[in-house]
Amino acid sequence: MANMSTRSQLALLDALDPLSRAPIRIFSFKLLVLFPIAPLLAARYRYPLFETISSFASWYAYKLAMAWGGLRGALTLVLALAVTENRGLDPQVQRFVAVLATGLVLFTLFVNGTTLRMVIALLGLDRLSPRNEVLRDRILALSYAEVCDAVRHLAEAHALAPAAVQQIVEPYQAWITTANARDAAERLTERDRLAIALVALANQERALALETHAARIAPPATVQTLLHHADTLLDGARTEGRLGYQRAAAAILSFPVAFRIAYFLYRHFGIRRLLADRLADRVELLLVTRLLVDRLVDFNNERLRLIFGERITALTGESVERRRGELGGAFDALQRQYPDYVAALEVRFLRQSAVRQETGRYHALFEEGLIPQELFEDLKRGVTATRAAEPRPRFDIGLDTRRLIEQLDFLSALSNAQLDRVAKLLRPRFTVPNERIVRAGDRGDAVFFIASGAVEVRLPVRNVRLGTGEFFGEMALLTGRPRQADVVALSYCRLLVLRKADFDRFVTANPDAGAAISRVAQTRLAMNRDDHDRTAEVAS
Ligand code: CMP
């Protein structure tokens, strides 16, 4: 400084003047960013149970701690160096930036850095939330009880003095008694406890999904979906408790976007392969999810019950059972239509489990020192060579018109040659559960024969269920009137569609089948007329 010209000294003092205020400015800037942005983020991502900062006061406390804790380091210095190395800039500006950056880094490191712990403690952010405190107490009480039991068993087995046991067990028991008394004061509502238990359940599902990956029970893509589902359940339980968990459980059973896209491509462009692959994914996913949920039942009964008690686990158990039912329903729907594929997948799954068991056994023998390394490697090679990873069987939607026709009883009298001709007029179509195939009021453009599956005709007065071998959509074609009702698929269906343009040709070529269709249509019309008259009578 002594050798500097007066001008330079003045310039540096000028440069240092804003520096003295820089930390305050940056701190205020951070507050400015944090305070308006954080509420927006909170509104977008709601995590009330653990992540959300529960009270207004702690909301502000967190933001203050975040603003205070934003330390500056290497990055600031690197950026500053980039400026100071730039020859195009005035040396005074370069010096100013260098001093400013160094000062700022030192300030945040020595002032903010050293006081952050104190600030966090002052703001009370280093304490557990009441919810986590309850959970911690429960887990500790459970662990201490297990410790006491283990100590007693050990003492019994080795005939140790009861006084010694008492001395060890007493502090644990005293803690349990105090914790129970604290808990009896009901620091948390039952709703919160239930939500915490459901979060634990979803976390366990996540752990089981990862186990599935480690055990190679499912391919990586399926494990990815399982993890995503566990996260969805976790978010549901955190944000809306039981209702959220149940909503999430329903959502993960619906068809995913990839399935919908494949279905769209099938319906509009006739591409079947993608849909078949997505159906195969679904069978595999449902198969593995069922296994996980079965294990959740045990987890609920054995582990959660000890931590959360009877009342809460009865409710979580109900949610798990409900999921089990819904999963079973979704799986059965596929199994009923594709029993061979499901059986093939189950065989593959069991075979892979057997291979895992075998390898695990060799591994255990090696670990126990019962077989040498070379033998272990040889046995492992044997397993890999004979039972290399089996590819998933190919899924066939089963839309071969000629084979589907064989399911239609009213065509059973036709000869093979006649059936071949009929097959040329019919188009196969696959539908998913809950898909509306016919809309009431629309113009009739086709008749649908059910080769497999079931549909529901939704009439104003009643719903009529139609199954394999039956047909619908004939009335609009025969009477020229609009469609009488909505017809919705109850399951995966394989239909044969006879378009209006081909209907007359079909009836002319197969008069008996035509007469059978007309008879059924007459009966249905009469039934609907009766329903209508009866309703009108009741109304008048
Ligand atoms: P359509 O009117 O073209 O479209 C709706 C279809 O529902 C109808 O043809 C029949 O195939 C079917 N449908 C209407 N009423 C009944 C009924 N009472 N029982 C069974 N199916 C019916």
Side-chain angles (χ1 to χ4, degrees), residues 95-335:
R95 213 173 310 124
F96 166 69
V97 171
V99 175
L100 176 69
T102 315
L104 186 65
V105 167
L106 292 179
F107 184 86
T108 62
L109 283 182
F110 289 113
V111 179
N112 297 42
T114 50
T115 53
L116 185 58
R117 187 185 286 268
M118 207 174 68
V119 170
I120 286 176
L122 269 175
L123 294 170
L125 299 178
D126 55 350
R127 289 187 287 277
L128 282 178
S129 69
R131 291 181 175 111
N132 278 337
E133 261 178 33
V134 170
L135 195 59
R136 186 206 53 194
D137 284 0
R138 291 271 169 168
I139 289 167
L140 282 178
L142 178 67
S143 310
Y144 288 172
E146 281 173 2
V147 169
C148 291
D149 282 351
V151 168
R152 281 195 202 96
H153 282 131
L154 193 73
E156 230 174 80
H158 300 285
L160 302 178
V165 177
Q166 198 50 32
Q167 197 183 334
I168 299 300
V169 160
E170 221 168 53
Y172 288 118
Q173 275 181 332
W175 192 93
I176 295 173
T177 319
T178 328
N180 284 347
R182 250 203 318 265
D183 207 32
E186 290 290 337
R187 282 174 299 169
L188 276 183
T189 64
E190 184 143 305
R191 240 176 92 133
D192 282 345
R193 276 166 206 272
L194 179 57
I196 295 172
L198 287 168
V199 166
L201 208 59
N203 270 325
Q204 176 65 8
E205 186 158 339
R206 197 164 213 289
L208 291 176
L210 288 171
E211 226 176 76
T212 312
H213 178 58
R216 297 186 193 183
I217 291 175
T222 308
V223 175
Q224 201 71 39
T225 315
L226 289 172
L227 289 174
H228 173 65
H229 286 175
D231 288 344
T232 311
L233 290 161
L234 203 65
D235 288 351
R238 276 176 183 163
T239 50
E240 290 175 284
R242 186 147 76 125
L243 191 68
Y245 184 87
Q246 284 170 356
R247 270 205 200 124
I252 61 183
L253 267 187
S254 62
F255 293 112
V257 177
F259 187 98
R260 287 166 200 268
I261 293 174
Y263 191 66
F264 176 86
L265 295 174
Y266 159 70
R267 283 289 287 127
H268 294 90
F269 303 100
I271 302 168
R272 287 184 195 169
R273 194 63 254 153
L274 290 177
L275 181 61
D277 288 345
R278 297 293 75 76
L279 280 163
D281 288 349
R282 190 164 172 87
V283 178
E284 189 157 32
L285 184 70
L286 291 174
L287 186 74
V288 184
T289 312
R290 278 176 71 203
L291 299 177
L292 294 197
V293 174
D294 283 349
R295 289 181 62 187
L296 283 185
V297 175
D298 298 337
F299 174 78
N300 185 65
N301 295 340
E302 287 158 20
R303 310 290 302 165
L304 281 191
R305 176 161 298 154
L306 293 171
I307 301 177
F308 293 97
E310 285 293 332
R311 259 216 322 254
I312 296 290
T313 38
L315 295 171
T316 48
E318 225 173 69
S319 296
V320 177
E321 282 302 339
R322 181 200 276 236
R323 269 190 81 197
R324 197 141 79 146
E326 287 167 355
L327 269 167
F331 188 73
D332 286 352
L334 275 162
Q335 194 172 32

Side-chain angles (χ1 to χ4, degrees), residues 283 287 331 335 338-350 393:
V283 178
L287 186 74
F331 188 73
Q335 194 172 32
Y338 300 101
D340 296 343
Y341 184 80
V342 172
L345 212 62
E346 283 173 349
V347 167
R348 173 176 171 260
F349 171 75
L350 287 176

